[in-house]
Structures are given as C-alpha cells and as structure tokens.
C-alpha cells in the first residue's frame, strides 16, 4: 500500500497560481494582473484579468498609459482583473468569499469588492502602496471589514507544459 503525496501545493498556492495564470491572458504590455474568487469551501467561482470590455478591440483601443489625450490612454478604457472576476460571476451572491489577486486593488476595485460581499483579499504585489488610490482602497477595506493579507510566497516552483 502506498502513502499519499506530501509535496502537493496548498490552497493559497493553488488559488494564487490560478490568478497568476489568468494574468498571462492580459495583453497589457506593462502590467498583467489576474484575480480568482473562491468560495468558503475552496471552490473557484470566477476568474478575471485586466483588459478591455467585450466588444472593444484590443487592436483598436490604446495600451499607452502616460499619454494624457483621452483617445490614447488605456486607463480610460481598461477593466481591472478584480472587477472582471466580479462581473464574470454568474452564480448569485459573492457574500463571504475570498479574492486572490496578483496586485493590490485600486480604490475603484475596492468599492466593487466591498459591494459584492467579498470578505477576504489575498494579494501578491503591493507595488503601488502609498499611492492615493491604494491608500484610499485600504481605508475603505478597513472601514468595511474586508480582511486583506499579503500572499506568503513559498518559493516552490510549479512548471506547466502547455
């Protein structure tokens, strides 16, 4: 009789890995972000990544982030991964769920996270910490009782052959 494997990945590694894999779908040349929403019993409910809304061609809309001309700035058109994951969910309430995301959410996504009922946020990078958007995001999440914790990397390598 053989014993079970002991080197399997844990839930946080699994769900953050799914978020990281979702980020690979983003066509954004500067920042690729992925998100994964999980039920309290560890079932994946929805996935999202940053990009343009359905029907808005990523060949016709801008990917530039520094141009101040409305026609040439991606921030006016792109949808963040967290909002995409929330909007992609078709199963009813997200009350009490967890959100795994590769980049700490902006203030606009924090509003959607709070309103949707997500109660726990596990994020990987916080590279924009200290910016107005992230400061506002953390203030709102704190006020609404949404718990957020930074993902603790294990250093484990997982290879996918696609």
């Amino acid at each position: 009789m053989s014993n079970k494997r002991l080197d399997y990945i844990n839930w946080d590694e699994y769900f953050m890995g799914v978020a990281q894999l979702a980020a690979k779908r983003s066509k954004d040349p500067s920042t690729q972000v992925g998100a994964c929403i999980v039920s309290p019993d560890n079932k994946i409910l929805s996935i999202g990544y940053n990009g343009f809304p359905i029907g808005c061609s990523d060949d016709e809309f801008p990917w530039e982030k520094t141009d101040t001309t409305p026609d040439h700035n991606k921030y006016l058109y792109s949808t963040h991964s967290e909002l995409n994951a929330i909007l992609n969910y078709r199963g009813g309430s997200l009350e009490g769920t967890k959100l795994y995301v590769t980049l700490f959410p902006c203030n606009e996504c924090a509003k959607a996270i709070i309103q949707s009922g997500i109660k726990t946020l596990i994020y990987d990078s916080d590279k924009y910490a200290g910016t107005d958007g992230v400061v506002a995001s953390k203030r709102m999440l704190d006020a609404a009782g949404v718990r957020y914790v930074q993902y603790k990397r294990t250093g484990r390598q997982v290879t996918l052959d696609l």
Side-chain angles (χ1 to χ4, degrees), residues 72-141:
H72 298 95
N73 190 304
K74 72 176 182 177
Y75 293 119
L76 298 175
Y77 304 104
S78 64
T79 305
H80 289 178
S81 66
E82 306 92 325
L83 184 57
N84 265 330
I86 291 167
L87 295 172
N88 287 340
Y89 183 59
R90 299 286 191 257
S93 175
L94 290 172
E95 190 68 39
T97 58
K98 284 184 191 177
L99 172 66
Y100 288 80
V101 64
T102 59
L103 181 62
F104 197 91
C106 72
N107 58 303
E108 293 299 323
C109 288
K111 294 174 197 176
I113 290 165
I114 293 164
Q115 290 298 97
S116 70
I118 293 168
K119 289 299 178 199
T120 305
L121 168 67
I122 296 95
Y123 64 94
D124 190 14
S125 172
D126 194 7
K127 75 177 184 177
Y128 296 112
T131 63
D132 292 344
V134 171
V135 168
S137 179
K138 290 179 180 178
R139 181 178 179 192
M140 287 186 287
L141 294 168

Side-chain angles (χ1 to χ4, degrees), residues 22-23 25-27 33-35 47-51 79-81 84-85 88:
R25 284 284 309 143
S26 175
K27 296 174 185 171
V33 183
I47 298 169
Y49 57 88
N50 58 316
T79 305
H80 289 178
S81 66
N84 265 330
N88 287 340

